[in-house]
Amino acid sequence: MIDPWASSVDYDKLVNQFGIEKISDLLNDIKNPQKLMKRGVVFGHRNFKEINDIINKKQDFALVTGMMPSGQMHIGHKMVVDQIKWYQERGAFLSLPIADLESFAARGMSFEMARKIAIEEYLTNYIALGVDLDNDNVNVYLQSENKLLQDLTFRASNKVNFSQLKSIYGFTPSTNIAHVNAPLVQVADILLPQMEEFGGPKNVVVPVGVDQDPHIRLTRDIASRLHEDLGFLPPSSTYHRFLTGLSGDKMSSSKPATAIYLNDDAKDAAKKVKTAKTGGRESLKEQQELGGEVDKCVIYEMLVYHLIDDDVELEKIREECLNGTLRCGDCKAMTSELMEKMFDDLKEKQIEAREIAKSVIE
Ligand code: TRP
């Protein structure tokens, strides 16, 4: 297995301290694992084994993952889209909340603006990247417009007290109450597909970035407490690593210098690749002697996450980098070209996707 992040300890800590389990232990049992799972980008899970069994038995299950419409969608967000596609191919019912209550609470975003961003950024690109949203087995909704969700939020709130939330999120007496509310809305998002209206209790998988784990823990707890009333099962989850930004820090919608946006045009995306931090050494001589620092290279990460499907080809690049025969300049040029191709294809698909996106949350 390719593990490009063997040197990173933080993710291991999460696994050890918070009881997240390693996906690598399950990999042999997963049929045609999704590329990001195989490569250790999706590195952890809670109770994914049950979802895998259900998939293998071709039984019904649901997927929930939310989009917070706070700004432009970037290539880091594409990771979750690739996972959604994998589950859709395996028959999952997709429940996809647009977290406009959360973006209101966390970012002061108006509902009107959130709706616009959801359509133009998120839904358009979900469709363009290959998720079929025009489908009876999909429920896309705005949190602010969903009565069933709001009632369920209230029921979920009835099963938790302030000191519990405080211990999970570090809330203080001066914490704004909308901030206290927002995670409970997310809990309800995750439980919604188990409501009778959607066929009742079932297994649910939530693929998310690891920052969302506190919400998952809270949801699993509340699900058990609602078991008696509503028969809910605790959801399963998987966790992916973050995409590093161009500058070497986290890729962030609000920091243009770190991000390649899905609505960038292909030439700009290709240009941005060339600004990315590499794992190159100080001099060519040093590079040839020591090899590149492949696990610190943003360019290599783009290849792993997004641009190279063939494991053998990727392994070859990795080796040539490590043994010093591949030069950063050449590698960058190749990566930039691949990015441009990916974006050319995306641009073409966005045209039709834009029209479909409008009708998804009408
Ligand atoms: N909080 C998530 C984010 O910041 C968005 C979200 C809302 C979500 N509801 C969800 C994620 C339900 C997973 C499941 O991106």
Side-chain angles (χ1 to χ4, degrees), residues 59-65 84 87-96 135-141 189 192-195 197-200 202-205:
Q59 290 172 344
D60 289 344
F61 71 108
L63 170 146
V64 178
T65 194
I84 295 171
Y87 288 105
Q88 188 167 47
E89 284 160 16
R90 281 154 185 76
F93 172 78
L94 305 184
S95 191
L96 304 174
N135 183 313
D136 287 345
N137 225 14
V138 178
N139 182 31
V140 180
Y141 61 88
D189 280 332
L192 192 70
Q194 300 197 60
M195 292 292 278
E197 285 79 351
F198 296 99
K202 62 176 68 59
N203 287 91
V204 173
V205 63

Side-chain angles (χ1 to χ4, degrees), residues 148-156 188 191-192 195 230 232:
L148 189 61
L149 179 82
Q150 286 163 20
D151 290 349
L152 185 55
T153 303
F154 207 78
R155 292 188 83 151
L191 297 175
L192 192 70
M195 292 292 278
L230 295 163
F232 286 169

Side-chain angles (χ1 to χ4, degrees), residues 113-151:
M113 191 62 188
R115 171 190 281 274
K116 188 168 144 56
I117 294 174
I119 295 171
E120 290 173 8
E121 293 287 334
Y122 286 81
L123 299 178
T124 296
N125 284 311
Y126 273 48
I127 297 165
L129 292 168
V131 181
D132 177 9
L133 296 182
D134 187 15
N135 183 313
D136 287 345
N137 225 14
V138 178
N139 182 31
V140 180
Y141 61 88
L142 289 146
Q143 288 175 336
S144 67
E145 293 184 349
N146 191 323
K147 167 86 167 94
L148 189 61
L149 179 82
Q150 286 163 20
D151 290 349

Side-chain angles (χ1 to χ4, degrees), residues 64-66 68 97 99 102 143 186 189-190 206 208 212:
V64 178
T65 194
M68 174 153 84
E102 185 181 351
Q143 288 175 336
Q186 180 157 345
D189 280 332
I190 297 170
V206 189
V208 278
Q212 301 292 305

